[in-house]
Amino acid sequence: MSRKEIEEGGLAGDTTRSLFFVSLALYRLDKMTNVQELTIQKQVVTLTSGRDTHWCVSVSCTNQGNFCVFDFLTIIVVIVRCVCPCVSSSRPRYKLHYFKARGRAEVTRLVFKAAGVPFVDETFTMGEWPNLKPSMPTGSVPVLEMGGDMFPESGAIVRWAARKFGLAGKSDAEQLRVEEVLAGADDIRDLFLSWFFKSDPQVKTEVEEQMKQKACGFLGRWEDQARETRSSQRVYTYMVGTSLTAADLTLFDILEQLSSVPSIDLSSYPKLQNIRATVASLTPIKSYLQTRPSYPF
């Protein structure tokens, strides 16, 4: 591990305590003549029960010099600061601003939950929105707050989070397929939200018919593309590849929304229903759904 890597890993917490410990660690590593190499490797594994992170740490030493207890503690400090840069702060780094609704923010919530990344879910009512609107960059939500900056646009947020947390697909083809599902779901969601808020019965019926045609076109295509992955215990269905991606989380959300539309028969899409069941069975998603408020849309 190089000095630069130690500095970058140690300062990620951005606190005075981080700076002190990393400076101390760098000083001691310079003085340790018997430590040839300190290697820290990270491996993220996607499991059927969710995502897990494994760290492999190895220290290569020579027989020269005295390896004192303080040197050992220094290595522990470096490992903790590099492997767990947020150990000095219990506050989540991310805050998501949106209405008390699933709407355009739910897929982002699902991505964070599936990845096991803590965030603040800052929700508010429609009545509170007029006072909050001027503080949002484009006067709309969702907005992701990160490092003091505010980032709008639901599509941009979801795509960034999927890439950041390893849920955007493994190959170029998989990534493009994930993008296709996200874009198609956005088209359906636009019509769904328009339909949901329509009060005129005739207009509502017209929008519902448009939504049905659009949704059934996408759902039929996705039904053909979905693939089953068998394990010793059960069959898992994924939209892209053989592991969880943002496409599966997006389908889970859009199927939840469409289940409230009377004219759309979701039983015609058994593979997509299996994807919905696969996502709901993941431990972090299951825990989230058990405590999630009952939102109208």
Side-chain angles (χ1 to χ4, degrees), residues 65 99 227 275:
F99 298 108
R227 295 291 179 266
I275 290 177

Side-chain angles (χ1 to χ4, degrees), residues 98-296:
Y98 195 64
F99 298 108
K100 291 184 182 295
R102 298 191 304 274
R104 300 183 189 278
E106 189 65 9
V107 178
T108 297
R109 294 182 183 122
L110 292 171
V111 169
F112 273 95
K113 292 295 182 180
V117 177
F119 72 103
V120 176
D121 193 9
E122 189 75 13
T123 60
F124 44 85
T125 64
M126 294 289 187
E128 295 171 320
W129 172 236
N131 292 330
L132 296 172
K133 185 174 181 178
S135 65
M136 300 301 162
T138 59
S140 63
V141 285
V143 166
L144 181 67
E145 185 176 349
M146 177 175 58
D149 293 324
M150 307 280 276
F151 299 92
E153 298 300 328
S154 59
I157 296 170
V158 168
R159 286 163 173 79
W160 167 83
R163 292 192 301 270
K164 175 73 173 178
F165 306 133
L167 294 170
K170 299 175 183 177
S171 65
D172 289 344
E174 287 188 7
Q175 291 170 12
L176 192 56
R177 191 70 72 195
V178 170
E179 288 283 346
E180 175 194 333
V181 174
L182 266 60
D186 283 342
D187 291 346
I188 298 173
R189 189 177 294 106
D190 287 343
L191 288 169
F192 172 82
L193 293 175
S194 176
W195 169 82
F196 184 86
F197 287 104
K198 286 290 185 288
S199 56
D200 185 287
Q202 182 176 349
V203 176
K204 194 177 185 74
T205 300
E206 293 173 355
V207 175
E208 182 174 336
E209 182 59 30
Q210 295 175 19
M211 175 174 49
K212 180 181 178 181
Q213 293 180 7
K214 175 76 72 173
C216 291
F218 279 117
L219 295 179
R221 174 176 170 79
W222 296 336
E223 176 74 13
D224 293 336
Q225 293 174 346
R227 295 291 179 266
E228 294 180 344
T229 298
R230 297 183 179 274
S231 71
S232 58
Q233 296 180 337
R234 57 170 292 183
V235 176
Y236 297 89
T237 307
Y238 297 105
M239 189 64 241
V240 178
T242 58
S243 60
L244 184 73
T245 66
D248 303 305
L249 301 172
T250 299
L251 276 172
F252 177 86
D253 176 59
I254 208 69
L255 291 176
E256 272 200 323
Q257 292 179 329
L258 292 178
S259 64
S260 63
V261 182
S263 62
I264 298 180
D265 181 14
L266 296 179
S267 64
S268 302
Y269 312 100
K271 289 183 181 178
L272 300 188
Q273 293 285 34
N274 287 341
I275 290 177
R276 187 178 179 183
T278 295
V279 171
S281 70
L282 299 176
T283 301
I285 300 299
K286 183 187 297 184
S287 299
Y288 167 63
L289 296 177
Q290 289 173 347
T291 59
R292 183 180 67 178
S294 179
Y295 293 133

Side-chain angles (χ1 to χ4, degrees), residues 38 69-82:
L38 173 62
V69 174
F70 193 73
D71 291 334
F72 174 76
L73 293 177
T74 298
I75 292 177
I76 297 300
V77 168
V78 174
I79 292 172
V80 170
R81 295 309 307 160
C82 295

